[in-house]
Amino acid sequence: MDKAVFRRLIKIALGYLQGGGTEQEAAITHLCGASQANTEEQVMSVCVQYSGVISLLRAVLRLNTTTTRQDAFVADLTALGLPGEFAVDVGRVVYGAARPDIDHQLVANSPSLPTLAHMSWRVDVTISTSWLSRVLEPVVVIRMKTSTGASHTFQVPLNKFHLLRFTVASLLHQMGMLQAAPICKK
Amino acid sequence: MLQFNKRLQDGLSLVNTTDVGKVSGLVGRVCTALAAGCSQVFTEEEEEKLSGSLGLKVEQIKHLTHTILYIMQQAAQGMVRPASLGEQLKVAGVLEDRVEFFVQNWSIHARAIVDRLRQHSLADRQLKEVGWSLNLETSSSCLARQACPVAHLQLGLDKGSGWEREEKETEKIVLQFNQEQLFGLYTQLEQIQEQLDALR
């Protein structure tokens, strides 16, 4: 296989693994056109190579880069049967500068509970109600939109707001301490 | 402050005719129920027993209880002083010794009742509880080894916290945050706090 074709396949596969969808199909069609793969078998073989590259990248990106060294990794790949230059390319992807970004995207795509997409708020002061003629109590109204698309609007009385603020602050503090703990050293 | 109509007059005459000792107990009971936020002062069986002991029909017991409740609620609404409440009741024709009980119970329970009523709101949903858990993601199908702290926040929203409604359904929302997202939330909460401080 051509080296340039292999490099493009790697790029498209990386885009797919980082959460792409439809643009990859268009890119593959373009690639087929560019490498003059006209008959059905040739197109099929390009697709097979593409899925092979995806599986290879998926397995290879799982590796911990601190425990395996790059040259040992490349040697392993070559021993498995991948041509030398291709193995070096793959090694460059795994150990390259873009690795933290790739990791970040992979983590973002792993299974998770709904996250907060957007929060808007309002502070109201209740002046008077049918139960009491003088209240003068502030109240916070919050609307949260989650990543699943659900929207929740609710009132937060003052004492609960302080509880929420304290909880968030203490969680942040604990997260910071956890980052510094030995278990987080990769 | 007290708005007089026929029904209230009937209730007040019931107060006058009921036994003095029982009136003080009733007024005290109504005040504690208001301060605790229960919508039903007496249960059905208690009303039956009361009707037996006071020699009145059950509807009259209900009427009596509602009259006392109404007087206390109006006192809270207007935030009247005990002396002023006493004056108005005397003007309305309540006997002196019974007025004493109203005034005494109002001075004892006023603060608790007003604090409880201050928390009433017409909101559809209110935040009642905040639960949290801090987890560390160590590995996933994408990465064999990672160390990513993740916080889960569970917000318990209560439907209905007014005087009239009894059923409370709690809806729980669970949200996940990594460090950046949590910091974003914290910044927004700080902005809200600044506004609250500026109100003072």
Side-chain angles (χ1 to χ4, degrees):
Chain A
M1 186 164 57
D2 203 11
K3 197 168 170 193
V5 170
F6 186 72
R7 285 209 175 125
R8 283 178 70 176
L9 276 178
I10 289 187
K11 238 190 218 136
I12 302 175
L14 268 182
Y16 172 75
L17 284 175
Q18 289 181 26
T22 48
E23 38 205 60
Q24 272 70 37
E25 290 179 30
I28 286 287
T29 331
H30 187 72
L31 185 64
C32 289
S35 59
Q36 289 139 8
N38 296 319
T39 65
E40 205 170 292
E41 296 153 16
Q42 285 171 325
V43 171
M44 187 54 111
S45 75
V46 168
C47 292
V48 166
Q49 285 160 6
Y50 173 57
S51 49
V53 166
I54 288 186
S55 313
L56 174 68
L57 277 182
R58 202 178 257 157
V60 134
L61 281 174
R62 284 202 62 183
L63 290 179
N64 191 348
T65 50
T66 51
T67 52
T68 42
R69 285 173 37 225
Q70 186 164 6
D71 40 3
F73 168 71
V74 172
D76 276 341
L77 274 183
T78 332
L80 279 172
L82 197 63
E85 296 169 344
F86 293 177
V88 169
D89 279 341
V90 174
R92 260 195 234 121
V93 166
V94 171
Y95 287 89
R99 190 61 203 276
D101 291 333
I102 299 178
D103 281 349
H104 193 68
Q105 280 292 346
L106 287 178
V107 166
N109 289 335
S110 59
S112 75
L113 290 173
T115 66
L116 186 65
H118 183 69
M119 179 170 107
S120 37
W121 54 270
R122 194 177 84 198
V123 172
D124 285 345
V125 175
T126 312
I127 301 180
S128 147
T129 65
S130 56
W131 301 285
L132 273 188
S133 62
R134 272 280 164 276
V135 179
L136 295 176
E137 183 89 357
V139 139
V140 182
V141 179
I142 289 186
R143 171 183 293 158
M144 287 189 174
K145 289 205 180 79
T146 64
S147 55
T148 53
S151 174
H152 304 276
T153 314
F154 51 91
Q155 266 195 14
V156 183
L158 213 55
N159 51 350
K160 298 299 172 198
F161 175 73
H162 291 314
L163 177 65
L164 180 65
R165 196 164 144 247
F166 173 73
T167 307
V168 170
S170 82
L171 271 176
L172 264 178
H173 179 64
Q174 287 185 37
M175 262 196 192
M177 291 206 315
L178 196 56
Q179 294 271 31
I183 193 171
C184 277
K185 305 278 189 250
K186 264 181 109 175
Chain B
M1 171 220 75
L2 276 180
Q3 297 186 339
F4 292 105
N5 50 23
K6 174 104 187 10
R7 200 170 149 75
L8 184 61
Q9 286 299 122
D10 289 341
L12 289 179
S13 45
L14 262 181
V15 169
N16 281 338
T17 50
T18 319
D19 185 30
V20 175
K22 299 286 188 335
V23 169
S24 85
L26 277 176
V27 176
R29 183 68 191 265
V30 167
C31 284
T32 38
L34 254 184
C38 323
S39 64
Q40 190 77 350
V41 181
F42 292 115
T43 61
E44 304 268 331
E45 305 136 18
E46 288 171 333
E47 281 176 357
E48 305 269 327
K49 281 191 216 145
L50 270 179
S51 109
S53 73
L54 288 177
L56 297 169
K57 286 182 284 195
V58 178
E59 299 86 46
Q60 284 178 311
I61 296 288
K62 283 201 209 289
H63 191 36
L64 184 58
T65 320
H66 283 156
T67 310
I68 303 178
L69 192 59
Y70 178 75
I71 294 175
M72 285 301 156
Q73 280 175 332
Q74 289 297 306
Q77 223 272 343
M79 306 259 270
V80 297
R81 265 176 285 175
S84 162
L85 176 66
E87 299 278 327
Q88 299 205 24
L89 286 175
K90 275 188 213 150
V91 163
V94 182
L95 297 171
E96 184 87 30
D97 43 3
R98 289 160 174 86
V99 169
E100 261 317 298
F101 293 132
F102 278 99
V103 169
Q104 261 175 18
N105 276 295
W106 177 236
S107 3
I108 299 171
H109 290 116
R111 173 156 289 253
I113 294 179
V114 165
D115 281 340
R116 166 64 59 162
L117 287 179
R118 200 182 280 258
Q119 292 167 24
H120 276 182
S121 87
L122 290 172
D124 192 32
R125 287 192 289 182
Q126 273 202 334
L127 181 67
K128 273 292 177 235
E129 334 160 300
V130 177
W132 57 271
S133 92
L134 182 62
N135 305 321
L136 184 68
E137 275 185 12
T138 46
S139 110
S140 70
S141 54
C142 315
L143 275 182
R145 189 141 171 221
Q146 59 186 111
C148 188
V150 148
H152 290 169
L153 264 188
Q154 182 187 67
L155 302 175
L157 302 181
D158 223 346
K159 292 197 186 199
S161 65
W163 171 257
E164 296 83 31
R165 283 194 260 188
E166 284 285 12
E167 339 81 50
K168 292 198 179 195
E169 319 138 33
T170 313
E171 186 188 337
K172 293 192 199 279
I173 308 177
V174 187
L175 293 171
Q176 173 176 313
F177 297 88
N178 65 10
Q179 196 156 17
E180 295 171 36
Q181 292 162 337
L182 199 60
F183 191 69
L185 178 64
Y186 177 72
T187 322
Q188 286 193 293
L189 291 179
E190 284 299 303
Q191 281 180 343
I192 301 180
Q193 183 63 38
E194 269 175 53
Q195 293 304 317
L196 285 172
D197 289 338
L199 277 178
R200 295 192 192 290

